[in-house]
Amino acid sequence: MRKPTDPLARLAGRVDWLELVMGFACNCRCRVCSSGFLDPQVRLSNEELATWLERGRKLGATKVWLGGGEPTLHEGLARAIERARSLGYRQVRLQTNGLRLAYPDYVAALRQAGLTEVALSVKGWDAKSHDGMLRREGAWELVGRAAANVREAGLRLEADVLLTTPLLPHLPGLVEDLARRGVERLTFWLVSLHGAPDDDAVTRLVPPLGGLRTPLRKAFARAEARGLAATSLHTPPCSLAAEDHDRYLHSAKYRLLVVVPGNAPFLAQESPMEGGEYPVEPCGKCAVRKDCLGLRTDQLRLFGAAGLEPIARAPRNRAAPPRARRRA
Ligand code: SF4
């Protein structure tokens, strides 16, 4: 009888980061998030968390990323962090809306468990815009307190900023604000319709790739002036200014394995969120195609390839991007 093949065998030696989507429960109802339609009861059990942490180490991962839903609603979070550190993970990253981190004792407990860094999700530029996007009054104030508590605890502070149409003109001011709050690293994420409600109100939040170049140039320049590392996800090089091409984060470079409750695990670059479409115009003559994940289907459906030109030459520093721009 043939021995069954291990479904994870294809991943051996290909994983640095393990992302655990701890569950779909959330204490916000973001207008663009799929967690709002998913069953909040669905989550990784404490046993599953322990098992995946062990599997991740066996596959070679040394960094773990705890996300959701909202991971701070999982009662096993501190235990999972402790477990990760005892298994030898060097970095433990918590990606969170920050509401629960407004309480210093909770931050101290996570630090004690071994947490190393926090990435706060930022979806607006002030209380009105952020609270409106999260549909949670007071969220902006709480995320501000969270930032202060994370810094006070000596943890590394990052911000994952969601790029939406209304936010783009406010990006430079937001970068300044986040720098003042002690954020060390920024990642700009382009909003997607994948998994989000397909209604006009949400569609209007999606900016065309061809309209990102100037606002992101201003934001990157402001980040550089303030000494912040800054990169962007889901923004192919043709949507960025030439000097920003090496800020594009190709998700395969994370070597990130994603574990979602109730689903088969997958590598980040295999997600439809990442792109996957290479229309002849502009991709046919593009010099960086092999280093690009292409365009998302929602972008093509909404905007085609308007404003995007093929890249004539690969950036010279792609093989060795400036250290400050790399994701650790
Ligand atoms: S391969 Fe296509 S999507 Fe990627 S940078 Fe080139 S033109 Fe843009």
Side-chain angles (χ1 to χ4, degrees):
M1 203 166 114
R2 267 173 69 187
K3 233 172 128 186
T5 50
D6 177 359
L8 296 181
R10 75 180 179 104
L11 301 169
R14 297 177 66 194
V15 179
D16 290 336
W17 277 91
L18 173 70
E19 177 180 351
L20 298 175
V21 174
M22 296 186 71
F24 299 146
C26 190
N27 42 9
C28 295
R29 280 289 171 271
C30 291
R31 293 168 62 193
V32 293
C33 179
S34 55
S35 286
F37 327 111
L38 300 172
D39 182 351
Q41 306 297 326
V42 174
R43 57 180 220 153
L44 294 173
S45 67
N46 289 322
E47 293 70 34
E48 287 171 316
L49 287 169
T51 301
W52 275 110
L53 286 167
E54 280 170 29
R55 283 179 185 156
R57 286 293 290 132
K58 283 187 189 143
L59 292 171
T62 56
K63 306 168 199 181
V64 64
W65 171 342
L66 301 168
E70 174 47 44
T72 59
L73 298 183
H74 196 300
E75 93 291 344
L77 175 60
R79 221 174 322 154
I81 293 169
E82 257 172 19
R83 181 91 185 132
R85 296 307 298 268
S86 71
L87 286 166
Y89 286 93
R90 295 197 312 268
Q91 271 177 258
V92 182
R93 178 181 211 257
L94 178 67
Q95 186 181 45
T96 171
N97 61 32
L99 301 193
R100 290 206 68 201
L101 302 192
Y103 302 95
D105 290 352
Y106 184 62
V107 178
L110 297 182
R111 189 192 187 291
Q112 179 72 22
L115 185 66
T116 61
E117 58 205 63
V118 171
L120 295 173
S121 298
V122 176
K123 294 176 179 163
W125 60 94
D126 60 11
K128 187 170 176 221
S129 57
H130 185 75
D131 294 2
M133 187 67 79
L134 272 63
R135 292 190 281 209
R136 172 85 193 218
E137 207 173 320
W140 179 256
E141 201 220 315
L142 292 176
V143 84
R145 280 202 246 156
N149 291 338
V150 168
R151 297 295 294 156
E152 182 67 29
L155 298 171
R156 180 165 143 145
L157 179 62
E158 304 189 6
D160 290 335
V161 176
L162 188 72
L163 298 176
T164 57
T165 303
L167 185 131
L168 291 181
H170 301 277
L171 263 181
L174 178 61
V175 170
E176 280 291 337
D177 188 356
L178 295 172
R180 273 196 298 272
R181 292 175 191 267
V183 168
E184 296 171 57
R185 179 180 294 268
L186 290 166
T187 307
F188 300 117
W189 297 60
L190 180 64
V191 68
S192 171
L193 287 182
H194 179 72
D198 193 7
D199 66 49
D200 285 353
V202 176
T203 302
R204 279 197 292 275
L205 296 172
V206 180
L209 280 171
L212 295 181
R213 197 171 292 115
T214 303
L216 278 178
R217 174 81 292 272
K218 289 179 184 168
F220 285 136
R222 195 65 68 96
E224 191 145 1
R226 296 299 305 257
L228 269 71
T231 48
S232 61
L233 266 169
H234 317 130
T235 55
C238 59
S239 66
L240 301 175
E243 57 266 62
D244 296 327
H245 285 174
D246 66 339
R247 294 184 184 271
Y248 164 62
L249 275 178
H250 187 303
S251 61
K253 290 184 181 163
Y254 291 157
R255 293 163 51 92
L256 169 70
L257 178 66
V258 186
V259 177
V260 181
N263 288 276
F266 58 91
L267 293 168
Q269 65 270 27
E270 295 167 353
S271 162
M273 296 278 281
E274 300 297 330
E277 304 280 348
Y278 297 90
V280 176
E281 289 291 339
C283 303
K285 292 188 182 144
C286 184
V288 302
R289 185 183 155 135
K290 71 175 174 39
D291 290 321
C292 175
L293 287 164
L295 305 173
R296 283 178 177 158
T297 49
D298 62 339
Q299 278 286 329
L300 281 175
R301 177 163 65 81
L302 293 172
F303 310 111
L308 304 176
E309 299 285 338
I311 307 293
R313 234 185 5 215
R316 267 184 300 175
N317 59 352
R318 179 168 293 278
R323 187 172 169 71
R325 294 183 184 186
R326 272 193 222 152
R327 181 170 175 134

